[in-house]
Every structure is written in structure tokens, then in C-alpha cells.
């Protein structure tokens, strides 16, 4: 069974919450990158955990 990527104590129910746009919660993420646009000289995404399917 696949675990939820937002709450690893739950089983994935295919609710789609992990695919929501950070800027517009009514939209499904389409990887447009607008959430990463900034005036900074560099950009980074913090990864705190990697879940491997078993």
C-alpha cells in the first residue's frame, strides 16, 4: 500500500491534496514554476525526507 506523501502515518486515499497548487488551492499543480519565481539570485527547494516505495 502506498503511503500519503503529506502524512506518512496514513495510507494514500488518492484525495489529490498533494497535487494542489501552492498559489491557487483550487488548481491542480501543472509544474508551471510560478511558485519558484523570485527576485533572489538563487533558488532552492528544501527536501526533508525521501520516501522509497517498498
Amino acid at each position: 500500500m502506498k503511503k500519503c506523501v503529506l502524512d506518512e502515518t496514513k495510507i494514500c486515499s488518492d484525495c489529490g491534496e498533494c497535487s494542489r497548487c501552492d498559489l491557487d488551492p483550487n488548481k491542480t499543480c501543472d509544474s508551471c514554476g510560478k511558485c519558484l519565481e523570485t527576485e533572489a539570485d538563487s533558488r532552492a527547494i528544501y527536501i526533508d525526507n525521501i520516501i522509497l516505495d517498498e
Side-chain angles (χ1 to χ4, degrees):
M1 295 197 164
K2 186 173 151 185
K3 290 187 179 183
C4 174
V5 297
L6 299 176
D7 183 351
E8 62 186 40
T9 63
K10 294 181 180 179
I11 300 297
C12 176
S13 64
D14 292 320
C15 69
E17 190 64 32
C18 58
S19 297
R20 296 225 187 268
C21 174
D22 288 339
L23 300 177
D24 181 0
N26 296 316
K27 177 183 158 192
T28 299
C29 177
D30 59 4
S31 300
C32 69
K34 289 181 182 177
C35 58
L36 299 176
E37 291 178 6
T38 178
E39 298 297 320
D41 291 335
S42 64
R43 298 179 183 128
I45 298 173
Y46 178 72
I47 299 173
D48 63 351
N49 193 5
I50 297 175
I51 300 172
L52 300 174
D53 289 335
E54 295 178 7

